[in-house]
Amino acid sequence: VLNVSNELISTVKNMPRLYRDRTVEEMVSFFNLISNDEDTTLKTVSLIANGVTSLAGQVQQFLKYWEKKYSHIWDVDKDSFIEGYRKANHPLSVFEAEINKYKELQEQVLSEDSTSNMASLRIDCTPLKQTLVHHCETWVTKLTQLLNDIARQELESVHDYFKSNTEILKKPVLSLDMLADTVNLQKKLL
């Protein structure tokens, strides 16, 4: 703001005055007139600078609010977290709780005000809210995909188990020991 105000004042540095007062011997340039006018120019620039400085503190507080409340949504590396989740072998209830947590966070984000007014500044949080909602959706998608992968692997494992044991049960029994093993396998499978 200070740089722009100085540049604005300097734009009139080489501008000649069109009107010349015959009573004054040396004509004061626009630049000298504006830059030395303490009552108007310097006070206005000072008021603007002070306003921007006080506004910056309010904006920082506003940013801290969003960061404190929602930074965990974007700070955590999703892929590393999901890989750790895969290795932890959590029960379905933990998956459900985690997925619901991100759905609730998504609703919280959507319920936040989209705009905020601070003195002469209006902050539009719509893009931020859209990004946070997208992060929540990504979390839900990754957790659901992991749950799907785990379920598919378990189902394939059960399918392979039955397939291999079915092949064993289809073989003709050649001895009493083999018959006992086959009967025990059938009971186990039942």
Side-chain angles (χ1 to χ4, degrees):
V1 170
L2 294 176
N3 288 340
V4 170
S5 66
N6 288 335
E7 288 179 19
L8 282 173
I9 293 170
S10 69
T11 59
V12 295
K13 194 172 199 174
N14 295 322
M15 184 182 289
R17 294 192 63 171
L18 298 176
Y19 170 76
R20 184 177 179 121
D21 188 356
R22 304 264 181 220
T23 60
V24 179
E25 282 187 32
E26 187 176 326
M27 191 62 107
V28 179
S29 71
F30 279 125
F31 175 75
N32 289 335
L33 186 66
I34 293 171
S35 62
N36 293 326
D37 183 9
E38 289 184 21
D39 286 339
T40 333
T41 308
L42 296 177
K43 283 183 181 177
T44 303
V45 169
S46 177
L47 286 171
I48 291 171
N50 290 338
V52 168
T53 302
S54 70
L55 197 57
Q58 292 177 20
V59 171
Q60 286 299 322
Q61 287 300 106
F62 187 74
L63 286 173
K64 284 180 184 176
Y65 166 80
W66 283 90
E67 286 177 354
K68 183 178 180 184
K69 194 166 182 181
Y70 299 111
S71 66
H72 64 281
I73 296 174
W74 71 79
D75 275 347
V76 177
D77 180 21
K78 292 173 185 66
D79 293 330
S80 297
F81 181 86
I82 292 296
E83 192 55 39
Y85 223 71
R86 177 186 306 275
K87 292 175 182 174
N89 198 21
H90 291 293
L92 181 59
S93 61
V94 174
F95 273 92
E96 184 178 22
E98 195 72 20
I99 289 169
N100 286 335
K101 177 180 90 171
Y102 285 105
K103 286 182 178 180
E104 289 170 9
L105 277 170
Q106 183 176 347
E107 290 301 317
Q108 282 180 1
V109 168
L110 290 171
S111 69
E112 294 280 355
D113 289 334
S114 292
T115 58
S116 182
N117 296 317
M118 295 176 200
S120 61
L121 180 67
R122 170 176 254 169
I123 299 176
D124 182 10
C125 298
T126 304
L128 174 62
K129 287 174 62 172
Q130 289 171 344
T131 301
L132 289 174
V133 165
H134 178 71
H135 275 286
C136 289
E137 289 170 346
T138 302
W139 275 112
V140 169
T141 301
K142 286 188 174 288
L143 288 164
T144 305
Q145 184 62 46
L146 174 61
L147 189 59
N148 183 34
D149 290 347
I150 291 170
R152 183 181 36 78
Q153 288 171 358
E154 287 179 6
L155 187 60
E156 287 173 355
S157 172
V158 169
H159 183 264
D160 291 342
Y161 178 74
F162 277 110
K163 186 177 180 181
S164 64
N165 285 312
T166 301
E167 293 301 318
I168 293 171
L169 291 174
K170 283 183 178 180
K171 291 181 182 176
V173 178
L174 303 174
S175 68
L176 285 176
D177 289 335
M178 193 173 178
L179 179 60
D181 291 341
T182 305
V183 168
N184 286 336
L185 177 60
Q186 183 194 18
K187 288 178 182 177
K188 180 180 171 188
L189 291 175
L190 286 174

